[in-house]
Amino acid sequence: FENELSEAGDYDDPFILGCVSPYEQAEAATIVPAASALDCSPGMFTSIEKVQNETALLESKCDTCPLDTFSMSNSRNLQCMTCPAGSTTEGEIGSTYCVQMELNLLSPGILVMGYVFVALSWCFSLGYFVWIYRNKEHPVVSMGQIEFLTLFCLGTFISSSSIIALGGEALVSEDNTMASRSCQAIPFLYSCGWVLMYSSLTAKSYRLFKVLQNSRNRIKRVEVRAKDMYYIVAVPILLVLVILVAWQLTDPIVVRSTFLNLFQ
């Protein structure tokens, strides 16, 4: 057969008929570019460079998706899909999804406005506190009961401080420990300040009620001291603190970053 082909002049070189092992065929260099027989896994794509340069026919021709691109299923695509506008793979390659981050942070204007209101509230609280003690002998201040007026000013000072704690924020790449502590302080500041204000008003009003109620009996003189009314302030404060401490021990407030939009 070899001689016949040579004599016919169909081939310059003699043609040798032989069998090739499948294993040798699989490891042989490719004559024409050939993609992998298998689909690429999620997060990968068929690389043109590997198709053209890999020496084995059945070797994988897949490569990982570059930054800010993704592949969500098995495929033979020659490139990964680009993340939609405003989304990223968070610095990862070979991603199967893209994330759109919404930081949900307060704007600088809102923060400045909040701090201005806190400063005004503190100034009014401290100003009234100073005015009360400078005019403590005045009949109006005496009738208003200086002890409870002082507690009311202190309550407004504490509750307005919760606005500062509201400004405690952290970016995704930052440590959120301080932001979590700020969030945990908000219910303590606001609740304790609010209870202190209105429990002092309640104690003040109850003291006036007791005085007026006993003033009907003109023979017997009754004295209702301010310190006897302090339990009306102390009990609600202790109750609120117990509830808040139990809350923080069982289910503390923690700042976490969550995915709002996940493109898959």
Side-chain angles (χ1 to χ4, degrees):
F1 183 67
E2 177 181 344
N3 295 331
E4 292 178 358
L5 288 175
S6 299
E7 292 175 359
D10 294 334
Y11 294 90
D12 295 334
D13 297 326
F15 178 77
I16 301 176
L17 181 63
C19 296
V20 179
S21 168
Y23 296 102
E24 295 178 355
Q25 193 176 38
E27 295 176 356
T30 56
I31 299 175
V32 293
S36 173
L38 300 176
D39 292 343
C40 294
S41 303
M44 306 188 76
F45 70 103
T46 302
S47 172
I48 294 294
E49 182 179 356
K50 287 188 175 182
V51 169
Q52 295 174 343
N53 299 324
E54 289 291 347
T55 58
L57 178 64
L58 299 182
E59 282 188 358
S60 173
K61 305 300 189 300
C62 300
D63 203 350
T64 54
C65 292
L67 189 67
D68 294 337
T69 63
F70 71 104
S71 174
M72 57 186 177
S73 61
N74 294 337
S75 68
R76 297 185 184 183
N77 294 333
L78 299 180
Q79 62 181 4
C80 296
M81 292 183 289
T82 305
C83 290
S87 63
T88 67
T89 57
E90 297 186 294
E92 300 291 335
I93 61 174
S95 181
T96 59
Y97 60 86
C98 293
V99 177
Q100 183 179 22
M101 300 298 296
E102 294 185 17
L103 298 179
N104 198 27
L105 301 178
L106 296 175
S107 64
I110 294 295
L111 289 175
V112 171
M113 184 177 65
Y115 295 151
V116 169
F117 286 150
V118 171
L120 290 175
S121 178
W122 285 359
C123 290
F124 283 124
S125 298
L126 293 175
Y128 284 128
F129 179 80
V130 172
W131 182 86
I132 287 170
Y133 275 88
R134 292 186 62 179
N135 298 275
K136 59 183 178 180
E137 302 299 332
H138 195 280
V140 175
V141 178
S142 298
M143 291 177 60
Q145 305 171 59
I146 188 173
E147 301 89 351
F148 300 113
L149 293 176
T150 302
L151 290 177
F152 191 87
C153 290
L154 180 60
T156 58
F157 190 93
I158 295 174
S159 63
S160 60
S161 300
S162 61
I163 298 178
I164 296 180
L166 283 169
E169 300 174 320
L171 297 174
V172 177
S173 58
E174 296 177 346
D175 183 14
N176 58 8
T177 302
M178 293 305 298
S180 297
R181 298 287 172 81
S182 297
C183 289
Q184 293 168 6
I186 293 172
F188 281 90
L189 292 172
Y190 183 79
S191 300
C192 291
W194 191 90
V195 170
L196 187 60
M197 284 190 295
Y198 288 96
S199 60
S200 62
L201 284 177
T202 302
K204 174 178 173 295
S205 301
Y206 183 69
R207 185 184 183 193
L208 289 175
F209 171 75
K210 294 291 288 184
V211 170
L212 293 175
Q213 187 181 41
N214 290 281
S215 65
R216 297 177 182 178
N217 188 354
R218 300 182 180 180
I219 299 176
K220 183 180 179 181
R221 181 178 179 182
V222 177
E223 181 182 1
V224 182
R225 296 173 298 178
K227 65 180 182 179
D228 297 331
M229 299 291 103
Y230 286 158
Y231 73 91
I232 299 179
V233 178
V235 171
I237 288 290
L238 290 176
L239 181 60
V240 167
L241 286 176
V242 168
I243 295 174
L244 292 175
V245 170
W247 177 16
Q248 295 303 320
L249 291 178
T250 57
D251 188 19
I253 301 175
V254 178
V255 174
R256 293 191 180 96
S257 299
T258 57
F259 297 144
L260 296 182
N261 290 309
L262 192 63
F263 297 99
Q264 285 187 318

